[in-house]
């Protein structure tokens, strides 16, 4: 405890020994440190929430048998997966008016895949948001601290030169120690931020990869459903065509039998006469 108090008192003494520029830089670095920690904790919380929403959406989609109907009944589905699903369902609905041929199915799936690709790109930006600010703090904090150190040492040596022969190490040391404080502050800001940045970046990249895999599986699921619907329509049309043909054949046979009976009756009448 005593060592901590001595260290704290030393820090404040070094701050008092710094020149005005060094003190301003230390205050700025303290603000940057607060911003960095706020961004890291907030980003971690955001990624956890997005992961939770994605798991809910993926679980529900896995149980569905018709993407269009599922999306229509789950409009409040949140998260990146939910938004990709909505874009895919909207694109599928727009393309459904083109017909039921195999060629139109290929055009329809191209339209859906383009919509999914755009949605994935937009949601990927959500995963990477705030990372630029954190990276800027990591890059800028050490240089800002170095600037304060160089400025403070320059002032110390300048003051030493003005004092001439009376200048001693005791008069130089406080200014130099105060100048070095800015470098320490810059490193204190940058080092935790680097670890936090790399940790968050690895999580966000993994989630982007999972989003791309989900988008690919969603496109496959939609294509399989549409091909199944197309096959069912073809089977239905074929059955209806067969029924119509059978009805036409039975109708023709009925007409033929009725015509034969009519001719037989006419022959009987002519024989009686």
């Amino acid at each position: 405890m005593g060592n901590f108090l001595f260290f704290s008192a030393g820090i404040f003494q070094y701050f008092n020994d710094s020149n005005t520029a060094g003190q301003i830089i230390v205050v700025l670095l303290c603000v940057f440190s607060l911003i960095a920690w706020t961004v890291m904790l907030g980003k971690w919380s955001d990624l956890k929430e997005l992961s939770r929403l994605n798991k809910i959406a993926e679980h529900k989609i896995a149980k569905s048998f018709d993407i269009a109907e599922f999306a229509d009944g789950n409009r409040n589905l949140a998260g990146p997966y939910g938004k990709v699903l909505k874009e895919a369902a909207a694109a599928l609905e727009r393309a459904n008016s083109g017909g039921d041929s195999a060629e139109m199915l290929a055009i329809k799936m191209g339209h859906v895949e383009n919509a999914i690709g755009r949605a994935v790109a937009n949601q990927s930006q959500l995963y990477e948001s705030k990372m630029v600010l954190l990276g800027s703090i990591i890059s800028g904090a050490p240089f800002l601290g170095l600037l304060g150190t160089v400025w403070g040492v320059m002032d110390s040596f300048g003051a030493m030169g003005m004092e001439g022969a009376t200048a001693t190490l005791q008069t130089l040391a406080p200014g130099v120690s105060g100048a070095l404080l800015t470098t320490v502050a810059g490193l204190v800001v940058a080092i935790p931020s680097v670890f936090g940045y790399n940790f968050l970046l690895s999580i966000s990249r993994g989630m982007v990869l999972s989003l791309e895999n989900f988008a690919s599986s969603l496109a496959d699921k939609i294509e399989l459903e549409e091909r199944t619907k197309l096959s069912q329509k073809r089977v239905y049309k074929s059955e209806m065509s067969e029924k119509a043909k059978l009805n036409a054949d039975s109708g023709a046979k009925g007409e033929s039998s009725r015509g034969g009976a009519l001719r037989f009756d006419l022959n009987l009448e002519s024989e009686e006469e």
Side-chain angles (χ1 to χ4, degrees):
M1 184 67 179
N3 292 333
F4 176 75
L5 292 175
F6 176 77
F7 176 76
S8 301
I11 291 293
F12 285 111
Q13 184 60 46
Y14 299 151
F15 181 79
N16 290 328
D17 291 337
S18 299
N19 60 2
T20 304
Q23 291 176 350
I24 292 173
I25 289 174
V26 169
V27 172
L28 285 175
L29 289 172
C30 290
V31 173
F32 289 163
S33 179
L34 180 61
I35 293 173
W37 280 102
T38 303
V39 169
M40 287 189 290
L41 295 175
K43 186 64 179 178
W44 182 64
S45 177
D46 291 344
L47 292 177
K48 281 185 63 178
E49 179 65 14
L50 292 177
S51 178
R52 185 186 69 83
L53 294 174
N54 287 343
K55 288 179 181 178
I56 293 174
E58 189 173 19
H59 181 69
K60 290 182 177 181
I61 293 170
K63 294 182 177 180
S64 68
F65 297 98
D66 191 313
I67 291 296
E69 292 183 1
F70 175 79
D72 187 61
N74 293 269
R75 296 183 181 275
N76 59 342
L77 201 62
Y81 285 12
K83 292 180 180 179
V84 170
L85 172 67
K86 292 175 185 178
E87 292 295 329
L92 183 62
E93 184 179 358
R94 290 193 299 267
N96 269 335
S97 59
D100 297 324
S101 63
E103 293 79 7
M104 287 307 303
L105 176 60
I107 296 174
K108 183 190 302 183
M109 286 310 304
H111 186 62
V112 171
E113 288 173 359
N114 289 336
I116 290 176
R118 290 191 296 269
V120 168
N122 291 333
Q123 296 307 307
S124 297
Q125 292 181 349
L126 181 63
Y127 287 129
E128 298 172 359
S129 64
K130 302 178 184 177
M131 298 299 287
V132 174
L133 175 60
L134 188 58
S136 300
I137 292 175
I138 293 170
S139 301
F143 288 104
L144 195 58
L146 182 60
L147 173 64
T149 296
V150 172
W151 199 328
V153 171
M154 181 180 64
D155 282 354
S156 296
F157 278 105
M160 183 178 178
M162 292 178 64
E163 292 181 5
T166 60
T168 62
L169 183 61
Q170 285 75 14
T171 59
L172 178 65
V176 174
S177 61
L180 291 173
L181 178 64
T182 59
T183 297
V184 173
L187 294 176
V188 168
V189 173
I191 291 173
S193 300
V194 167
F195 290 111
Y197 178 86
N198 290 332
F199 174 72
L200 294 172
L201 186 63
S202 64
I203 294 177
S204 61
R205 284 180 176 175
M207 294 182 70
V208 168
L209 181 61
S210 298
L211 178 63
E212 292 174 350
N213 291 335
F214 167 78
S216 177
S217 63
L218 180 63
D220 292 340
K221 184 178 178 66
I222 292 174
E223 184 173 5
L224 289 174
E225 289 180 359
E226 292 301 312
R227 288 188 180 278
T228 301
K229 290 178 183 179
L230 182 60
S231 299
Q232 291 174 348
K233 287 180 181 180
R234 286 178 175 177
V235 170
Y236 177 76
K237 288 181 179 179
S238 177
E239 290 177 352
M240 294 302 295
S241 178
E242 288 294 330
K243 287 181 180 180
K245 186 176 180 180
L246 289 175
N247 291 334
D249 291 342
S250 62
K253 288 180 180 179
E255 290 293 332
S256 176
S257 61
R258 286 195 296 272
L262 180 61
R263 285 194 298 272
F264 180 74
D265 293 340
L266 291 174
N267 289 335
L268 288 178
E269 290 177 358
S270 60
E271 287 178 359
E272 291 177 355
E273 290 177 356

